[in-house]
Amino acid sequence: MKSPAPEMVAIIDFGAQYAQLIARRVREERVYCEIFAYDAPWAEIAACEPSAFILTGGPESVLVPGAPHLDPHILAAGKPILGLCYGMQELAHAAGGTVVPGTIREYGRAELTVDAAQSALFLDVPGHSQVWMSHGDTVTTLPPGFIKLAHTSTCEVAALGNPETKQYGVQFHPEVRHTEHGRTILRNFLRQVAGLHREWEMSSFVDRAIDEIATALGGANAICALSGGVDSAVAATLVARAIGDRLTCIFVDHGLLREREAEQVVAAFRDVLHLNVIVVDARRRFLDALAGVEDPEHKRKVIGRNFIEVFEEHAQALAGVEFLVQGTLYPDVIESKTPHSKAGAKIKTHHNVGGLPEEMHLKLIEPLRLLFKDEVRRLGLELGLPPHIVNRQPFPGPGLAVRVLGAIDEERLRIVRRADAIAREEIERAGQDYPWQYFAVLTPLRSVGVMGDFRTYGNMVAIRAVTSDDGMTADWARLPYDTLQRISTRIVNEIPEVNRVVYDVTSKPPATIEWE
Ligand code: XMP
């Protein structure tokens, strides 16, 4: 039986910096939501049957000619609306209030005073609290039926609402951490105002997704490139639930994986999940292609090209394949269709091994395209994937090739692989609260050391461990000295070619996470 569609919130994006963050916060409240550009066709939005709308902020004034405006269908739909910043101005404007250009522009921290403590929007929010403001224009006359709910010292109407029509607006950003009670305000809108009470569960997502995949594929066959990472693993597992043996996964072992990684991936997919997996041992081919290559960009290109060739050779040998499964996530989808990106925001592409064979004329199937990373992990667990795959730390597509600086050969790969295994083992032994990412790098430096009575001239290994939310920024992890000491002692004792271990204490920016 098909499970009911989840209650959903449509987030209307006026070009906000924070649209994605709003979506994350709504999902954290276990309410399903999707982002639409402000000028998305109404039919596309209506097809999702939204139960409520959130209007985002935007960079412009509603008073400027050509400013993006609210589609009148949204007001006419009669559903609860929450406008944020520009979204509040737009709501006030469209509902018949007056908005005038402000004399003071206010950005950053401000103290919010709640004037209508009985309002559902401010349930459990103290009378005074810190918010993150951003405003230029001011609402001077409230639209009919609206009341003022809060103010700050420079913004007379910092929140407004009409309890009858369930339309609300706040001039600040409830989605950012600096707004102390932002989560409560968003939750109040979703639960108290809009009355969304069903939790969005992964199990219902699974049923619907399997149905949709089965319909989309008809009787056709599909292939998927498994990287060992969580996204392709979850995407493949989900598609296999829908079409079983008609999915073939191709796992290219390029010899740049971490210790025991290839066998673990294959064991998980073949023996635990019973997926149809072809393992291609291309270690020699990659090593030969990389011989003498020192420049990291060049390494990436060689690996990307060979990956595609190997994948293509094996995919073409399979009969009747029409679809290619990819583990694209929602942040990439948002990037490509919001007004923000139309205005020229750069899309990050350099991290994908991808660009998979266009000339193969395969249709794409992207079953995770509406999910965030943490949701993909939850989905993976729901599908029965082993925790070591689901909770895998990020690992670059070109693998250890970017963690051996300079030219790569079998011996240098062996050294970094062992050093990395030791570092991970010791960090994981130290406790549950692991850094976001941690690994070893083999540097091209050699230095003098002494072992027993002998002078040595050995390799230098660097350990990198960082805390981060998304890899875009990072700080070096304050690992306990004891852990660092155990890592260092074990590496120099167990790997004779290494006589010195250093720890990287640089944040990103200015450094990157990988050394390359
Ligand atoms: P950087 O080194 O740019 O890395 O600070 C940020 C995050 O991205 C990971 N990374 C990659 N991930 N393919 C990937 O899937 C890649 O080619 C790649 N290169 C870097 C890196 O490990 C870190 O988590």
Coordinates of all heavy atoms in Angstrom, one line a residue, residues 241-315:
R241 N 16.2 -2.1 -3.9 CA 14.9 -2.5 -3.3 C 13.8 -2.4 -4.3 O 12.8 -3.1 -4.2 CB 14.6 -1.5 -2.1 CG 15.3 -1.8 -0.9 CD 14.7 -2.9 -0.1 NE 15.4 -3.1 1.1 CZ 15.1 -2.5 2.3 NH1 14.0 -1.8 2.4 NH2 15.8 -2.7 3.4
A242 N 13.9 -1.4 -5.2 CA 12.8 -1.2 -6.2 C 12.9 -2.2 -7.4 O 11.9 -2.7 -7.8 CB 12.8 0.2 -6.7
I243 N 14.1 -2.5 -7.9 CA 14.2 -3.3 -9.1 C 15.1 -4.5 -9.0 O 15.3 -5.2 -9.9 CB 14.7 -2.4 -10.3 CG1 16.2 -1.9 -10.1 CG2 13.8 -1.2 -10.6 CD1 16.8 -1.5 -11.3
G244 N 15.6 -4.8 -7.7 CA 16.3 -6.1 -7.5 C 17.5 -6.2 -8.4 O 18.3 -5.3 -8.6
D245 N 17.5 -7.4 -9.0 CA 18.7 -7.8 -9.8 C 18.9 -7.0 -11.1 O 19.9 -7.2 -11.7 CB 18.5 -9.3 -10.3 CG 19.1 -10.2 -9.3 OD1 19.6 -9.7 -8.3 OD2 19.0 -11.4 -9.6
R246 N 17.9 -6.2 -11.4 CA 18.1 -5.4 -12.6 C 19.0 -4.2 -12.4 O 19.4 -3.5 -13.3 CB 16.7 -4.9 -13.1 CG 15.9 -6.1 -13.8 CD 14.7 -5.6 -14.5 NE 13.6 -5.2 -13.6 CZ 13.0 -4.1 -13.5 NH1 13.4 -3.1 -14.4 NH2 12.1 -3.8 -12.7
L247 N 19.5 -4.1 -11.1 CA 20.5 -3.1 -10.9 C 21.9 -3.8 -10.8 O 22.0 -4.8 -10.0 CB 20.3 -2.3 -9.5 CG 21.4 -1.4 -9.1 CD1 21.5 -0.2 -10.0 CD2 21.3 -1.0 -7.7
T248 N 22.9 -3.3 -11.5 CA 24.2 -3.8 -11.4 C 25.1 -2.7 -10.8 O 25.1 -1.6 -11.4 CB 24.8 -4.3 -12.7 OG1 23.9 -5.2 -13.3 CG2 26.1 -4.9 -12.6
C249 N 25.8 -3.0 -9.8 CA 26.7 -2.0 -9.2 C 28.1 -2.3 -9.7 O 28.5 -3.5 -9.8 CB 26.7 -2.0 -7.7 SG 25.1 -1.6 -7.0
I250 N 28.9 -1.2 -10.0 CA 30.2 -1.4 -10.5 C 31.2 -0.8 -9.5 O 31.0 0.4 -9.2 CB 30.5 -0.9 -11.9 CG1 29.6 -1.6 -12.9 CG2 31.9 -1.0 -12.3 CD1 29.7 -1.2 -14.3
F251 N 32.0 -1.6 -8.9 CA 33.0 -1.0 -7.9 C 34.4 -1.1 -8.5 O 34.9 -2.2 -8.7 CB 32.9 -1.8 -6.6 CG 33.9 -1.3 -5.6 CD1 33.7 -0.1 -5.0 CD2 35.0 -2.1 -5.2 CE1 34.7 0.4 -4.0 CE2 35.9 -1.7 -4.3 CZ 35.7 -0.4 -3.7
V252 N 34.9 0.1 -8.8 CA 36.3 0.1 -9.4 C 37.3 0.2 -8.3 O 37.4 1.2 -7.6 CB 36.4 1.3 -10.3 CG1 37.8 1.4 -10.9 CG2 35.4 1.3 -11.4
D253 N 38.1 -0.8 -8.1 CA 39.2 -0.7 -7.1 C 40.4 -0.1 -7.8 O 41.1 -0.8 -8.5 CB 39.5 -2.1 -6.6 CG 40.6 -2.1 -5.5 OD1 41.1 -0.9 -5.2 OD2 40.9 -3.1 -4.9
H254 N 40.6 1.2 -7.5 CA 41.7 1.9 -8.2 C 43.0 1.8 -7.4 O 44.0 2.4 -7.7 CB 41.4 3.3 -8.6 CG 40.8 4.1 -7.5 ND1 41.0 3.9 -6.1 CD2 39.9 5.2 -7.5 CE1 40.4 4.8 -5.4 NE2 39.7 5.6 -6.2
G255 N 43.0 1.1 -6.3 CA 44.2 0.9 -5.5 C 44.5 2.1 -4.6 O 45.6 2.2 -4.0
L256 N 43.6 3.1 -4.6 CA 43.9 4.3 -3.8 C 43.0 4.3 -2.6 O 42.7 5.4 -2.0 CB 43.7 5.5 -4.7 CG 44.5 5.5 -6.0 CD1 44.0 6.5 -7.0 CD2 46.0 5.6 -5.7
L257 N 42.5 3.2 -2.2 CA 41.6 3.1 -1.1 C 42.4 2.9 0.2 O 43.6 2.6 0.2 CB 40.6 1.9 -1.3 CG 39.7 2.2 -2.5 CD1 39.0 0.9 -2.8 CD2 38.7 3.3 -2.2
R258 N 41.6 3.0 1.3 CA 42.3 2.9 2.6 C 42.4 1.4 3.0 O 41.9 0.6 2.3 CB 41.5 3.7 3.7 CG 41.6 5.1 3.4 CD 40.7 5.9 4.3 NE 39.3 5.6 4.1 CZ 38.3 6.1 4.7 NH1 38.5 7.0 5.7 NH2 37.0 5.8 4.5
E259 N 43.1 1.1 4.1 CA 43.3 -0.2 4.5 C 42.0 -1.0 4.6 O 41.1 -0.6 5.3 CB 44.1 -0.3 5.8 CG 44.8 -1.6 6.1 CD 45.8 -1.5 7.2 OE1 46.9 -1.0 7.0 OE2 45.4 -1.8 8.4
R260 N 42.0 -2.1 3.9 CA 40.8 -3.1 4.0 C 39.5 -2.5 3.4 O 38.5 -3.1 3.6 CB 40.6 -3.7 5.4 CG 41.9 -4.4 5.9 CD 41.6 -5.2 7.2 NE 40.5 -6.1 7.0 CZ 39.4 -6.1 7.7 NH1 39.3 -5.2 8.7 NH2 38.4 -6.9 7.5
E261 N 39.6 -1.4 2.8 CA 38.4 -0.7 2.4 C 37.6 -1.5 1.3 O 36.4 -1.7 1.3 CB 38.7 0.7 1.9 CG 37.5 1.6 1.7 CD 37.9 3.0 1.8 OE1 39.0 3.4 1.5 OE2 37.0 3.8 2.2
A262 N 38.4 -1.9 0.3 CA 37.8 -2.6 -0.9 C 37.0 -3.9 -0.4 O 35.9 -4.1 -0.7 CB 38.8 -3.0 -1.9
E263 N 37.7 -4.7 0.5 CA 37.0 -5.9 0.9 C 35.8 -5.6 1.8 O 34.8 -6.2 1.7 CB 38.0 -6.8 1.7 CG 39.1 -6.2 2.4 CD 40.0 -7.1 3.2 OE1 39.6 -7.9 4.0 OE2 41.2 -6.9 2.9
Q264 N 35.9 -4.5 2.6 CA 34.7 -4.2 3.4 C 33.5 -3.7 2.6 O 32.4 -4.1 2.8 CB 35.1 -3.0 4.3 CG 35.9 -3.5 5.6 CD 36.3 -2.3 6.4 OE1 36.0 -1.1 6.1 NE2 36.9 -2.6 7.6
V265 N 33.8 -2.9 1.5 CA 32.8 -2.5 0.7 C 32.1 -3.6 0.0 O 30.9 -3.8 0.0 CB 33.3 -1.4 -0.3 CG1 32.2 -1.1 -1.4 CG2 33.7 -0.2 0.3
V266 N 32.9 -4.5 -0.6 CA 32.4 -5.6 -1.3 C 31.6 -6.6 -0.4 O 30.5 -7.0 -0.7 CB 33.5 -6.4 -2.0 CG1 33.0 -7.6 -2.7 CG2 34.2 -5.5 -3.1
A267 N 32.2 -6.8 0.8 CA 31.5 -7.7 1.8 C 30.1 -7.1 2.1 O 29.1 -7.8 2.2 CB 32.3 -7.9 3.0
A268 N 30.1 -5.8 2.4 CA 28.8 -5.2 2.8 C 27.8 -5.3 1.7 O 26.7 -5.6 1.9 CB 29.1 -3.7 3.1
F269 N 28.2 -5.0 0.5 CA 27.2 -5.0 -0.6 C 26.8 -6.4 -1.1 O 25.7 -6.6 -1.4 CB 27.7 -4.1 -1.8 CG 27.7 -2.7 -1.4 CD1 28.8 -2.0 -0.9 CD2 26.5 -2.0 -1.4 CE1 28.7 -0.7 -0.5 CE2 26.4 -0.7 -1.0 CZ 27.5 0.0 -0.5
R270 N 27.8 -7.3 -1.2 CA 27.5 -8.6 -1.7 C 26.9 -9.4 -0.6 O 25.8 -10.0 -0.8 CB 28.8 -9.3 -2.2 CG 28.9 -9.1 -3.6 CD 29.9 -10.1 -4.1 NE 30.3 -9.7 -5.4 CZ 31.6 -9.9 -5.9 NH1 32.5 -10.5 -5.2 NH2 31.8 -9.5 -7.1
D271 N 27.5 -9.5 0.5 CA 27.1 -10.5 1.5 C 26.0 -10.0 2.4 O 25.2 -10.8 2.8 CB 28.4 -11.0 2.3 CG 29.5 -11.4 1.4 OD1 29.2 -11.6 0.2 OD2 30.7 -11.4 1.9
V272 N 26.1 -8.7 2.8 CA 25.0 -8.3 3.7 C 23.8 -7.8 2.9 O 22.7 -8.1 3.3 CB 25.6 -7.1 4.6 CG1 24.5 -6.7 5.6 CG2 26.8 -7.6 5.3
L273 N 24.0 -7.0 1.9 CA 22.9 -6.4 1.2 C 22.5 -7.2 0.0 O 21.4 -6.9 -0.6 CB 23.2 -5.0 0.8 CG 23.4 -4.1 2.0 CD1 24.2 -2.8 1.6 CD2 22.1 -3.8 2.7
H274 N 23.3 -8.2 -0.4 CA 23.0 -9.1 -1.6 C 22.8 -8.3 -2.8 O 21.8 -8.6 -3.6 CB 21.8 -10.0 -1.3 CG 22.0 -10.7 0.0 ND1 22.9 -11.7 0.2 CD2 21.3 -10.6 1.2 CE1 22.9 -12.1 1.4 NE2 21.9 -11.5 2.1
L275 N 23.6 -7.2 -3.0 CA 23.5 -6.5 -4.3 C 24.3 -7.2 -5.3 O 25.2 -7.9 -5.0 CB 24.0 -5.0 -4.1 CG 23.2 -4.1 -3.2 CD1 23.7 -2.7 -3.5 CD2 21.7 -4.2 -3.3
N276 N 24.0 -6.9 -6.6 CA 24.7 -7.4 -7.7 C 25.9 -6.5 -8.0 O 25.8 -5.4 -8.5 CB 23.6 -7.2 -8.8 CG 23.8 -8.1 -10.0 OD1 24.8 -8.8 -10.0 ND2 22.9 -7.9 -10.9
V277 N 27.1 -7.0 -7.5 CA 28.3 -6.1 -7.6 C 29.3 -6.7 -8.5 O 29.7 -7.8 -8.3 CB 28.9 -5.8 -6.2 CG1 30.0 -4.8 -6.3 CG2 27.9 -5.4 -5.2
I278 N 29.8 -5.9 -9.5 CA 31.0 -6.3 -10.3 C 32.1 -5.5 -9.7 O 32.1 -4.3 -9.6 CB 30.8 -5.9 -11.7 CG1 29.6 -6.6 -12.4 CG2 32.1 -6.1 -12.5 CD1 29.3 -6.2 -13.8
V279 N 33.2 -6.3 -9.3 CA 34.4 -5.6 -8.7 C 35.4 -5.6 -9.8 O 35.7 -6.7 -10.4 CB 34.9 -6.3 -7.5 CG1 36.1 -5.6 -7.0 CG2 33.8 -6.4 -6.4
V280 N 35.9 -4.5 -10.2 CA 36.9 -4.4 -11.2 C 38.3 -4.1 -10.5 O 38.4 -3.0 -9.9 CB 36.6 -3.2 -12.2 CG1 37.6 -3.2 -13.3 CG2 35.2 -3.4 -12.7
D281 N 39.2 -5.0 -10.7 CA 40.5 -4.7 -10.1 C 41.3 -3.9 -11.1 O 41.9 -4.5 -12.0 CB 41.2 -6.1 -9.7 CG 42.6 -5.8 -9.1 OD1 43.0 -4.7 -9.0 OD2 43.2 -6.8 -8.6
A282 N 41.4 -2.6 -10.9 CA 42.1 -1.8 -11.9 C 43.3 -1.2 -11.2 O 43.8 -0.1 -11.6 CB 41.2 -0.7 -12.4
R283 N 43.8 -1.8 -10.2 CA 44.9 -1.2 -9.4 C 46.2 -1.0 -10.3 O 46.7 0.1 -10.2 CB 45.3 -2.1 -8.2 CG 44.2 -2.1 -7.1 CD 44.5 -3.0 -6.0 NE 44.4 -4.4 -6.4 CZ 44.6 -5.4 -5.5 NH1 44.9 -5.2 -4.3 NH2 44.5 -6.6 -6.0
R284 N 46.5 -2.0 -11.0 CA 47.7 -1.8 -11.9 C 47.6 -0.7 -12.9 O 48.4 0.2 -13.1 CB 47.9 -3.2 -12.6 CG 49.2 -3.4 -13.3 CD 50.3 -3.6 -12.4 NE 51.2 -2.4 -12.3 CZ 52.1 -2.3 -11.3 NH1 52.2 -3.1 -10.3 NH2 52.8 -1.2 -11.3
R285 N 46.4 -0.6 -13.5 CA 46.1 0.4 -14.5 C 46.3 1.8 -13.9 O 46.9 2.7 -14.5 CB 44.7 0.2 -15.0 CG 44.2 1.2 -16.0 CD 42.8 0.9 -16.4 NE 42.4 1.9 -17.4 CZ 41.5 1.7 -18.4 NH1 41.1 0.4 -18.6 NH2 41.1 2.6 -19.2
F286 N 45.7 2.0 -12.8 CA 45.8 3.4 -12.2 C 47.2 3.7 -11.8 O 47.7 4.8 -11.9 CB 44.8 3.5 -11.0 CG 43.4 3.8 -11.4 CD1 42.6 2.8 -11.8 CD2 43.0 5.1 -11.4 CE1 41.3 3.0 -12.2 CE2 41.6 5.4 -11.8 CZ 40.8 4.3 -12.2
L287 N 47.9 2.7 -11.2 CA 49.3 2.9 -10.7 C 50.2 3.3 -11.9 O 51.0 4.2 -11.9 CB 49.8 1.7 -10.1 CG 50.8 1.8 -8.9 CD1 50.2 2.8 -7.9 CD2 51.1 0.5 -8.3
D288 N 50.0 2.5 -13.0 CA 50.7 2.8 -14.2 C 50.4 4.2 -14.8 O 51.3 5.0 -15.2 CB 50.5 1.8 -15.3 CG 51.1 0.4 -15.0 OD1 51.9 0.4 -14.0 OD2 50.7 -0.6 -15.6
A289 N 49.1 4.5 -14.8 CA 48.7 5.8 -15.4 C 49.2 7.0 -14.5 O 49.5 8.1 -15.0 CB 47.2 5.9 -15.5
L290 N 49.5 6.7 -13.2 CA 49.9 7.8 -12.3 C 51.4 7.9 -12.1 O 51.9 8.8 -11.5 CB 49.3 7.6 -10.9 CG 47.8 7.9 -10.8 CD1 47.2 7.3 -9.5 CD2 47.6 9.4 -10.9
A291 N 52.1 6.9 -12.8 CA 53.6 6.9 -12.6 C 54.2 8.2 -12.9 O 53.9 8.8 -14.0 CB 54.2 5.8 -13.4
G292 N 54.9 8.8 -12.0 CA 55.7 10.0 -12.2 C 54.8 11.3 -12.2 O 55.3 12.4 -12.3
V293 N 53.5 11.2 -11.9 CA 52.7 12.4 -11.9 C 52.7 13.0 -10.5 O 52.4 12.3 -9.5 CB 51.2 12.0 -12.2 CG1 50.3 13.2 -12.1 CG2 51.1 11.3 -13.6
E294 N 53.1 14.2 -10.4 CA 53.3 14.9 -9.1 C 52.3 15.9 -8.8 O 51.9 16.1 -7.7 CB 54.7 15.6 -9.1 CG 55.8 14.6 -9.1 CD 57.2 15.2 -8.9 OE1 57.2 16.4 -8.5 OE2 58.2 14.5 -9.0
D295 N 51.8 16.6 -9.9 CA 50.9 17.7 -9.7 C 49.5 17.2 -9.3 O 48.9 16.3 -10.0 CB 50.8 18.5 -11.0 CG 49.7 19.6 -10.9 OD1 49.9 20.5 -10.1 OD2 48.7 19.5 -11.6
P296 N 48.9 17.7 -8.2 CA 47.6 17.2 -7.7 C 46.5 17.3 -8.7 O 45.7 16.4 -8.9 CB 47.3 18.0 -6.5 CG 48.3 19.1 -6.4 CD 49.4 18.7 -7.3
E297 N 46.4 18.4 -9.5 CA 45.4 18.6 -10.4 C 45.5 17.5 -11.6 O 44.6 17.0 -12.1 CB 45.4 20.0 -11.1 CG 44.6 21.0 -10.2 CD 43.2 20.6 -9.9 OE1 42.4 20.3 -10.8 OE2 42.8 20.5 -8.7
H298 N 46.8 17.3 -11.9 CA 47.1 16.3 -13.0 C 46.7 14.9 -12.5 O 46.0 14.2 -13.2 CB 48.6 16.4 -13.3 CG 48.9 15.6 -14.5 ND1 50.2 15.5 -14.9 CD2 48.2 14.9 -15.4 CE1 50.3 14.7 -16.0 NE2 49.1 14.3 -16.3
K299 N 47.0 14.6 -11.2 CA 46.6 13.3 -10.6 C 45.1 13.2 -10.7 O 44.5 12.1 -11.1 CB 46.9 13.3 -9.1 CG 48.4 13.0 -8.8 CD 48.5 12.9 -7.3 CE 50.0 12.9 -6.9 NZ 50.2 13.1 -5.5
R300 N 44.3 14.2 -10.3 CA 42.9 14.1 -10.3 C 42.4 13.9 -11.7 O 41.4 13.1 -11.9 CB 42.3 15.5 -9.9 CG 42.3 15.6 -8.3 CD 41.8 17.0 -7.9 NE 41.8 17.1 -6.5 CZ 40.8 16.8 -5.7 NH1 39.7 16.2 -6.2 NH2 40.8 16.9 -4.4
K301 N 43.0 14.5 -12.7 CA 42.5 14.3 -14.1 C 42.8 12.9 -14.6 O 41.9 12.3 -15.2 CB 43.2 15.3 -15.1 CG 42.8 16.7 -14.9 CD 42.8 17.5 -16.2 CE 42.3 18.9 -16.0 NZ 43.3 19.8 -15.4
V302 N 44.0 12.4 -14.3 CA 44.3 11.0 -14.7 C 43.3 10.0 -14.1 O 42.8 9.1 -14.7 CB 45.8 10.7 -14.3 CG1 46.1 9.2 -14.5 CG2 46.7 11.6 -15.1
I303 N 43.1 10.2 -12.8 CA 42.2 9.3 -12.1 C 40.7 9.4 -12.6 O 40.1 8.4 -12.9 CB 42.2 9.6 -10.6 CG1 43.6 9.3 -10.0 CG2 41.1 8.8 -9.8 CD1 43.8 9.8 -8.6
G304 N 40.3 10.6 -12.8 CA 38.9 10.8 -13.4 C 38.8 10.2 -14.7 O 37.8 9.4 -15.0
R305 N 39.7 10.4 -15.6 CA 39.6 9.8 -16.9 C 39.6 8.3 -16.9 O 38.8 7.7 -17.5 CB 40.8 10.4 -17.8 CG 40.6 10.1 -19.3 CD 41.8 10.7 -20.1 NE 43.1 10.2 -19.7 CZ 44.1 10.9 -19.3 NH1 44.0 12.2 -19.2 NH2 45.2 10.4 -18.9
N306 N 40.6 7.8 -16.1 CA 40.7 6.3 -16.1 C 39.4 5.7 -15.5 O 39.0 4.6 -15.9 CB 41.9 5.9 -15.3 CG 43.1 5.9 -16.2 OD1 43.4 4.9 -16.9 ND2 43.8 7.0 -16.3
F307 N 38.9 6.4 -14.5 CA 37.7 5.9 -13.8 C 36.5 5.8 -14.8 O 35.9 4.7 -14.9 CB 37.3 6.8 -12.7 CG 36.2 6.3 -11.9 CD1 36.4 5.5 -10.8 CD2 34.9 6.6 -12.2 CE1 35.4 5.0 -10.0 CE2 33.8 6.0 -11.4 CZ 34.1 5.2 -10.3
I308 N 36.4 6.8 -15.6 CA 35.3 6.8 -16.6 C 35.5 5.7 -17.6 O 34.6 5.0 -18.0 CB 35.2 8.2 -17.3 CG1 34.6 9.2 -16.3 CG2 34.3 8.1 -18.5 CD1 34.7 10.6 -16.7
E309 N 36.7 5.6 -18.1 CA 37.0 4.5 -19.1 C 36.7 3.1 -18.5 O 36.1 2.4 -19.2 CB 38.5 4.6 -19.5 CG 38.7 5.8 -20.5 CD 40.2 6.0 -20.8 OE1 41.1 5.2 -20.4 OE2 40.5 7.1 -21.3
V310 N 37.2 2.9 -17.3 CA 37.0 1.5 -16.8 C 35.5 1.3 -16.6 O 34.9 0.2 -16.9 CB 37.7 1.4 -15.4 CG1 37.3 0.1 -14.7 CG2 39.2 1.5 -15.6
F311 N 34.8 2.3 -16.1 CA 33.3 2.2 -15.8 C 32.6 1.9 -17.1 O 31.8 1.0 -17.2 CB 32.8 3.5 -15.2 CG 31.4 3.4 -14.8 CD1 31.0 2.7 -13.7 CD2 30.4 4.0 -15.6 CE1 29.6 2.7 -13.3 CE2 29.1 4.0 -15.3 CZ 28.7 3.3 -14.1
E312 N 33.0 2.7 -18.1 CA 32.3 2.6 -19.4 C 32.5 1.2 -20.0 O 31.6 0.5 -20.5 CB 32.9 3.6 -20.3 CG 32.0 4.2 -21.3 CD 32.7 5.4 -22.0 OE1 33.7 5.9 -21.5 OE2 32.2 5.8 -23.1
E313 N 33.8 0.7 -20.0 CA 34.1 -0.6 -20.5 C 33.2 -1.7 -19.9 O 32.7 -2.5 -20.6 CB 35.5 -1.0 -20.3 CG 36.6 -0.3 -21.2 CD 38.0 -0.3 -20.6 OE1 38.3 -1.2 -19.7 OE2 38.7 0.6 -20.9
H314 N 33.0 -1.6 -18.6 CA 32.2 -2.7 -18.0 C 30.7 -2.5 -18.1 O 30.0 -3.4 -18.2 CB 32.6 -2.8 -16.5 CG 34.0 -3.4 -16.4 ND1 35.2 -2.8 -16.6 CD2 34.3 -4.7 -16.2 CE1 36.2 -3.6 -16.4 NE2 35.7 -4.8 -16.2
A315 N 30.3 -1.2 -18.2 CA 28.9 -0.9 -18.3 C 28.4 -1.3 -19.7 O 27.3 -1.9 -19.8 CB 28.6 0.6 -18.1

